[in-house]
Amino acid sequence: MNYDYQTIKTEKLEKGILLVSLNRPEKYNAMNMTMLNELNDLWLKLKRDLETRVVILKGEGEKGFCAGMEVADIIKPQVMADIPAMYDLQMPIGELQINMRNCPQPIICAVHGAAAGAGFSFAIASDIRVISPDTRFSAAYVNVGLAGADMGSSYFLPRIIGSGRAYEFLYTGAWMNAEEAMQLGFASRCVEKEKLFDTALEIAQAIAKKDPLAMKLTKEAVNLNIDIGSLEAAIVMENRNQNMMISLLANRMKK
């Protein structure tokens, strides 16, 4: 699978682990239209990538993970456009979060420094968040005159930390620091900055050792059951997955 891009770097670290790096460090890894299109392409391609078992997402450079969208490249054209043109611009932005969430491989987000706006949304659409003490998050859309809910934040954030605190962060655009992120269960681990990548890699290695189908089914079940209407429906999904895995294991044992 070819992952050759201008604004993101990819590297196959070891069997089954793909490192994806936002690569505009001179711009605090802010997302421009090129990065938006390349990320959409990446997440869609991963659906057909049978070799990759887990993805690590990080930001290049010392300044931070991602400062959000690049105003001159994305936000200003939206403001200047008419309503149909604005809708056409907004669609791939929303699709990015859907494509990311539908990526069958678990995504580990290693965050240092600021993760604001789009950077915040990349983190909340990931499955696991590992942070450093200098990390801070903000749903900064409301701070630039936009609605506080964008790029899936109104969907993901209440499900991760509860609606009460989610309302506060989305209404105010206030920063969530590393201590709050850990207290709220938003992040899984907080480690020193120099250990951030190694910690993410350690988790990725543990996941990569598991059966890849089992990991995909687990992610699918969690994603669906977040929205499912009853315990009974959740059990049906889990029973289906376990029956598939037991059949697979039985066939392997016969061989």
Side-chain angles (χ1 to χ4, degrees):
M1 193 71 69
N2 179 29
Y3 298 114
D4 185 19
Y5 301 112
Q6 295 178 36
T7 64
I8 53 178
K9 292 197 306 185
T10 62
E11 180 183 355
K12 293 184 178 179
L13 300 178
E14 50 192 79
K15 185 177 180 180
I17 301 176
L18 180 68
L19 174 64
V20 177
S21 302
L22 307 178
N23 190 30
R24 301 186 73 222
E26 73 286 354
K27 296 286 188 178
Y28 290 84
N29 296 315
M31 183 178 71
N32 60 7
M33 284 302 299
T34 302
M35 182 183 286
L36 170 62
N37 292 331
E38 289 180 344
L39 284 170
N40 268 322
D41 183 75
L42 169 77
W43 301 124
L44 287 172
K45 280 182 176 176
L46 278 165
K47 284 186 175 183
R48 305 187 302 274
D49 185 342
L50 300 180
E51 295 181 359
T52 298
R53 298 187 176 194
V54 58
V55 177
I56 299 174
L57 176 64
K58 71 177 187 69
E60 283 291 303
E62 295 296 317
K63 294 179 178 179
F65 174 69
C66 175
M69 296 183 193
E70 187 169 311
V71 174
D73 196 54
I74 296 182
I75 296 179
K76 279 189 177 179
Q78 282 190 308
V79 172
M80 299 299 292
D82 58 21
I83 290 177
M86 288 172 63
Y87 188 78
D88 288 341
L89 279 169
Q90 188 68 28
M91 283 299 291
I93 296 173
E95 287 170 354
L96 177 56
Q97 298 304 96
I98 296 171
N99 292 334
M100 189 174 179
R101 198 58 176 170
N102 287 339
C103 169
Q105 297 87 352
I107 302 170
I108 302 165
C109 194
V111 187
H112 72 287
F120 174 68
S121 289
F122 296 156
I124 59 177
S126 299
D127 301 297
I128 298 170
R129 286 159 290 278
V130 180
I131 64 175
S132 57
D134 68 332
T135 299
R136 53 190 188 138
F137 300 94
S138 172
Y141 319 104
V142 72
N143 295 336
V144 294
L146 301 175
D150 195 15
M151 292 188 70
S153 58
S154 62
Y155 175 86
F156 289 113
L157 193 60
R159 286 164 169 78
I160 298 171
I161 67 171
S163 60
R165 292 305 303 274
Y167 277 128
E168 180 182 346
F169 287 116
L170 295 177
Y171 284 152
T172 66
W175 290 98
M176 178 198 304
N177 61 32
E179 183 179 358
E180 286 179 303
M182 290 299 296
Q183 289 174 347
L184 292 168
F186 185 77
S188 298
R189 302 189 194 182
C190 182
V191 298
E192 293 303 318
K193 192 174 179 179
E194 58 270 19
K195 296 180 180 179
L196 184 63
F197 174 73
D198 288 341
T199 302
L201 180 59
E202 176 187 322
I203 298 171
Q205 289 169 333
I207 293 172
K209 291 177 182 177
K210 305 297 190 293
D211 187 286
L213 178 59
M215 294 300 94
K216 290 178 181 180
L217 290 175
T218 301
K219 180 169 181 175
E220 180 185 76
V222 173
N223 285 347
L224 289 174
N225 286 336
I226 284 173
D227 297 322
I228 212 151
S230 68
L231 172 61
E232 288 76 11
I235 294 297
V236 168
M237 166 67 70
E238 292 176 353
N239 287 346
R240 183 210 68 165
N241 289 353
Q242 296 298 48
N243 285 334
M244 289 176 64
M245 292 308 302
I246 290 168
S247 297
L248 180 62
L249 290 171
N251 287 333
R252 287 175 179 170
M253 290 174 67
K254 289 177 183 177
K255 295 178 181 179

